[in-house]
Amino acid sequence: MNDLSTAAVPTLEQEWSTAARIARSAAATDSRYAPNAGFHRWFADRNAHAQNDVRPIPLDALVGWSADPSTGNLAHDSGKFFTVEGLDVQIPDSPVPHWTQPIINQPELGILGVLAKEFGGVLHFLMQGKVEPGNVNGVQLSPTVQATRSNYTRVHAGRSVPYLEYFRQAERHRILTDVRQSEQGSWFYRKRNRNMVVEVTEDVEVLDGFHWLTLGQLHALLRVDDVVNMDARTVLACLPFSGDAGPLAARPTGDDTGGDDGDDGFRAALLRSCAGGAGEEGSTDGVLRWLTGVRSRSEVLTSRIPLNALEGWHRTEYAVAHDTGRFFELIAVDVRAGSREVQRWTQPMIRPCATGIVAFLVKRVDGVLKVLVHALVEPGYLDVAELSPTVQCTPENFGHLPPAALPPLLDVVREAGPERIRFDATLSEEGGRFFHARNRYVIVEVGSEDLADFDHPDYHWMTMHQLADLLRHSHYVNIQARSLVACLHSLSGRPPAA
Amino acid sequence: MNDLSTAAVPTLEQEWSTAARIARSAAATDSRYAPNAGFHRWFADRNAHAQNDVRPIPLDALVGWSADPSTGNLAHDSGKFFTVEGLDVQIPDSPVPHWTQPIINQPELGILGVLAKEFGGVLHFLMQGKVEPGNVNGVQLSPTVQATRSNYTRVHAGRSVPYLEYFRQAERHRILTDVRQSEQGSWFYRKRNRNMVVEVTEDVEVLDGFHWLTLGQLHALLRVDDVVNMDARTVLACLPFSGDAGPLAARPTGDDTGGDDGDDGFRAALLRSCAGGAGEEGSTDGVLRWLTGVRSRSEVLTSRIPLNALEGWHRTEYAVAHDTGRFFELIAVDVRAGSREVQRWTQPMIRPCATGIVAFLVKRVDGVLKVLVHALVEPGYLDVAELSPTVQCTPENFGHLPPAALPPLLDVVREAGPERIRFDATLSEEGGRFFHARNRYVIVEVGSEDLADFDHPDYHWMTMHQLADLLRHSHYVNIQARSLVACLHSLSGRPPAA
């Protein structure tokens, strides 16, 4: 039982202090406890030694996985991990009112946990250099712990998951974030992971393959293609980030967040957006009512069907693919790993047929940055629609349709000149389930008067503070939007000297 | 598209003013525009004329409903309304780790809408005197509109739903509440209704069967058995109720909310709990993290199964019943109605086998009332567990088990002396789906030092303000707890003179 009158609930002052400490870590673009130079050596070394040999194999060559004789659904022989099934989707009154598709059903709640600790008064985060079979490259930075329940109950008889107890016994430590969030609603059926950041004060042994980094260091790495993995991005996005370094900002850090840096005021507008402001409180109710309206208007009827009952999909020796060659394929891979819990295994994966575009359009309104979010319906969501990037699509999937069928505002993103582009990196999606799945993550700033004639009931301008408010809850902000939130946070720091 | 910088989003001042106007309406225990005496005449007259003749019939005698030959699932021939199916429930590591049961699957989102309008500066709410086939008595007070999508798209060729357009075009008016909320998680599979209160300024024709009432009048009626129906209670609970009449309280109303009225300070503690307080903001994060923990610990695996595949249930001519005679039965009824959309129909219903107990334990901590909520797992919830009353059970269902198996704290509720009981009324559940389903709703105040040794991770003390904060979102506060929130609100007014 938790009695708020007596339990160790943080006070308002402590909450604020957490935000200030996070801002201070964001401002630290280097660390004397974990210098950039050392990190890059470690990362290169890790890449050189952590090898994965991944080869597509025939679906029938999966070992430890079986297709149900009547449904064709793929399941692990242990009954754990995940299954690949079919999904029948009906969205009446929509452009595509009915379709079927393969989908990953993973009802287990996993943990994505990042360990945090102060060194020299600056929060550092313990990241893992991890190889996943679906990565296009080798190692990417992942959370300290990235584990399904099957992982940590050791279904596959691998080694125990290091650092897991910090998250299973989180109440013994200081919890900075603990919220369950959804993952890709087009590929996962109602999957959720628990996004956690737990701060400790005790000594932590740094195992092989792990490295401390400040938030500012992570922000710099986020701007590099395919380095910070999806699981790390979603956890970082859920940090209580206000950008406000508070009274601690006065401490000499060598990386203070003040000033305008000649960036034409973008940073200041972003920080104001993160901080929230007077008079904004009531507007969260406006956002909630808008979303209630969208979720009420949209009727989504999904039912799980046998994988062998899909329409418009066909099975070859190596894949279940859409007849048009678009969207994605279900494939199987054989993995030989050097540094995973087990050394060799096979598994099904989803391979998207092209790289997607994930973009926020942002603009300044009265000096405050606003983000244009889209309440997007995806069949795997628990609750109809989630707040998504302004644009989230794979243009190739629309190749057979007239240009007018392309998602709204895609042209604005594609045609944005370099002076409009605030962030642009190609980042990987979850390499444990998706094979070479990448999206170009873009943040485009439009003029304050632009898009004045764009009036669509499924889109809404929001501040970062409003998004952060909703990120405390489940089922509001989708995983692509969470990645972009982390990318926006990465723009809050003073840019490195030219 | 909704641009918060320009759209008609209420300002903080307006929000506060809404709360003040609601408090003012709560303080109005009578109305010169809709006097109590006239209401009681209208209600008696309505009862005398709105007759329903409801008779149980054999399941096979349902007209317009068919059992699927292979599954036995009951469905309306139109494919609309709802189906009755089977549900297989697995909750590993719980006292009853596996069971099957019938469940109502109603994926349509309905509207529960109450129309509001000021008369003489006091908000009045337009209530409907409505007969439902499952009511133990005749008429109960329901929202202005209580309609499934099938209702208002006129699947059953009935009359159109009066006042519906106010809610379908709500953005033209002032929206006081608009949030989707769950219903009974033991009997419904993921059912949700949109709870709306819409305020208008234009003239509203009062049709036969409708009556304006202040919130204070509704609060008095809530304390009478079986008068305010479940749908009305949940909508009232979602009103932004702070109890703070603000500057308007100074207006002479004849029913001001000040003073202590010799009630030993209970009202003042309740109002402080509703108003929230400085330093409490951070604690909502504590509540959210606690609930994340509960929802993460509890693994609930449900799958819809054929109704004829239930285990431990048997079918007779008139019912599908549990072999022990406990829990509930699925029955069929023939309804002849005087004032419904259509005049005669048959339908399946759920009949619980006994009256339940639904209770909040409350206590004062430093002059602020705290409510002990229970994060309860029910199989029909979209998201594992919802905040529920301290006690929510039907004791008869535990008859075959040792006394230790009874829910925690049930004995505290049952043994409470009259001086501890702040609210006690038997109220009906939804009469459109449930036959004679009633619960005793009780609010018991325990001493500030009581329950100090009750330490259970699924229970949490919360203020009314924290509950109100979560009531702005879906999937947090279950329907029984929402009823109790409305009952607590009803205790905020000065008691009538003895």
Side-chain angles (χ1 to χ4, degrees), chain A residues 112 181 195 229-238 479 482-483:
Chain A
L112 305 178
Q181 297 288 6
N195 287 238
N229 85 353
M230 181 191 88
D231 296 320
R233 299 195 302 271
T234 173
V235 177
L236 294 179
C238 294
I479 188 148
R482 295 201 302 279
S483 272

Side-chain angles (χ1 to χ4, degrees), chain B residues 204-284:
Chain B
V204 175
E205 184 191 3
V206 178
L207 299 173
D208 190 36
F210 292 82
H211 204 285
W212 291 109
L213 289 164
T214 66
L215 192 53
Q217 291 176 301
L218 283 165
H219 281 165
L221 293 165
L222 197 53
R223 296 192 288 265
V224 183
D225 288 359
D226 302 309
V227 169
V228 179
N229 85 353
M230 181 191 90
D231 297 320
R233 298 195 301 272
T234 172
V235 177
L236 294 179
C238 294
L239 275 174
F241 185 94
S242 75
D244 180 0
L248 292 176
R251 289 194 197 171
T253 67
D255 298 283
D256 80 83
T257 57
D260 207 10
D261 307 306
D263 72 343
D264 73 5
F266 178 83
R267 274 185 65 233
L270 172 59
L271 289 172
R272 278 186 216 106
S273 185
C274 289
E280 193 188 86
E281 290 77 358
S283 66
T284 292

Side-chain angles (χ1 to χ4, degrees), chain A residues 260 262-273 362-364 367-370 420-423 443-446 487-488 490-493:
Chain A
D260 206 12
D263 72 344
D264 74 6
F266 178 84
R267 273 185 65 233
L270 171 60
L271 288 172
R272 278 186 216 107
S273 186
V362 301
K363 71 172 171 180
R364 275 174 257 185
V368 177
L369 202 70
K370 302 268 184 133
R420 292 284 191 200
I421 296 177
R422 295 291 180 174
F423 185 99
I443 295 167
V444 174
E445 184 179 18
V446 300
C487 296
L488 269 162
S490 82
L491 302 178
S492 68

Side-chain angles (χ1 to χ4, degrees), chain B residues 18-36:
Chain B
T18 296
R21 294 187 307 127
I22 287 168
R24 184 176 164 85
S25 181
T29 54
D30 203 345
S31 161
R32 86 176 74 154
Y33 294 85
N36 289 336

Side-chain angles (χ1 to χ4, degrees), chain B residues 123-146:
Chain B
L123 278 174
H124 287 60
F125 301 89
L126 187 62
M127 307 305 290
Q128 184 178 178
K130 189 165 185 175
V131 182
E132 293 278 15
N135 288 0
V136 289
N137 51 358
V139 172
Q140 297 192 15
L141 289 179
S142 82
T144 320
V145 165
Q146 182 177 315

